Amino acid sequence: MLRVVLAEDSVLLRAGLTELLTRGGHEVIAAVGDAQALARAVDDARPALPDLVITDVRMPPGQHDEGLRAALELRARHPGLPVLVLSQYVATAYATQLFGGSGGPEAAGLGYLLKDRVGEVSEFLDAMRRVAGGQTVIDPEVVRVLLVQHAQSRPLRRLTPREREVLGLMAEGLNNQTIAQRLTVTEASVVKHAGNIFMKLDLDPAEGNRRVLAVLAHLRGETA
């Protein structure tokens, strides 16, 4: 069971998410409608911080990126606090803002999903558990857009179609075992493809969150 603080300005969606989480066996210790209330709810939960914060990107009063900024401020005050950010639209700039300033262990426990993913209940609940457990989770549609944006870059053109598939799944935060299951191949095959990807893109052959961040950095054009 996870203790969750939820921030969503839509009353209907907030109620729906609360019901979904409760039915999933989790405890919603606070459900609020703006960024300031989110910060207060997390602070009020002390001495035991929530296991997970779920927040919309756009929140009152400005309906811009108040929820995202509140999440980043909470992470700064409480390093390692697991945060799952929800967005209505594919906005790679939000993902860049969320993950761009994180590296190493500071990147653990971050997630960025589209709200449409909530309708895929089992996948959404699994993403929650992964973020709460310290993993990095990125919506596959966001990864797809990043790959399309950079598909004609010289380094990505070195990859085979299968290697591009593996790269996309790596960027979502999936481990080798899960990638193998998704592609119906052996884990050894995934390890081989990953090695080729790291070599061709000149990436650090890291594991876990560092691997995700290396891939994202490349897709943002921050590496060669």
Side-chain angles (χ1 to χ4, degrees):
M1 181 188 76
L2 300 176
R3 297 169 63 253
V4 180
V5 169
L6 170 65
E8 167 58 55
D9 63 310
S10 167
V11 175
L12 288 177
L13 183 54
R14 188 163 70 242
L17 281 169
T18 300
E19 177 68 15
L20 173 63
L21 298 179
T22 301
R23 288 190 176 187
H26 305 296
E27 179 187 1
V28 179
I29 60 178
V32 300
D34 62 71
Q36 291 181 337
L38 167 60
R40 289 195 300 270
V42 172
D43 290 336
D44 289 346
R46 301 193 73 177
L49 289 171
D51 299 311
L52 179 67
V53 170
I54 301 176
T55 181
D56 190 3
V57 168
R58 298 185 177 186
M59 299 280 284
Q63 291 293 345
H64 295 301
D65 63 347
E66 287 86 348
L68 177 59
R69 285 191 282 111
L72 292 173
E73 290 169 4
L74 284 168
R75 288 273 297 192
R77 291 208 303 274
H78 309 293
L81 175 69
V83 173
L84 176 57
V85 174
L86 302 179
S87 178
Q88 184 69 45
Y89 308 103
V90 177
T92 56
Y94 290 147
T96 297
Q97 189 175 348
L98 180 63
F99 297 103
S102 299
E106 292 83 9
L110 282 176
Y112 180 85
L113 292 179
L114 298 181
K115 287 186 177 180
D116 288 348
R117 206 65 54 193
V118 175
E120 300 171 12
V121 176
S122 61
E123 290 187 22
F124 178 68
L125 293 176
D126 179 65
M128 283 177 44
R129 287 189 289 268
R130 289 167 58 199
V131 172
Q135 296 184 44
T136 302
V137 175
I138 304 174
D139 194 281
E141 184 62 18
V142 175
V143 173
R144 187 193 69 79
V145 170
L146 284 169
L147 286 171
V148 168
Q149 288 175 347
H150 296 273
Q152 297 308 311
S153 70
R154 184 173 298 174
L156 284 186
R157 289 171 65 182
R158 302 172 190 162
L159 302 184
T160 66
R162 176 62 88 186
E163 288 168 354
R164 290 194 187 195
E165 284 184 284
V166 173
L167 177 69
L169 294 172
M170 284 168 48
E172 292 177 31
L174 302 179
N175 59 30
N176 290 340
Q177 181 181 15
T178 305
I179 293 174
Q181 293 171 350
R182 290 278 186 93
L183 299 179
T184 320
V185 297
T186 65
E187 190 170 345
S189 178
V190 173
V191 171
K192 180 180 178 181
H193 288 311
N196 290 337
I197 291 167
F198 290 128
M199 179 182 65
K200 291 178 181 180
L201 300 185
D202 193 26
L203 294 177
D204 178 16
E207 290 297 329
N209 297 311
R210 289 179 58 223
R211 178 167 82 169
V212 178
L213 294 170
V215 173
L216 286 179
H218 179 84
L219 293 177
R220 294 196 303 263
E222 295 177 4
T223 64

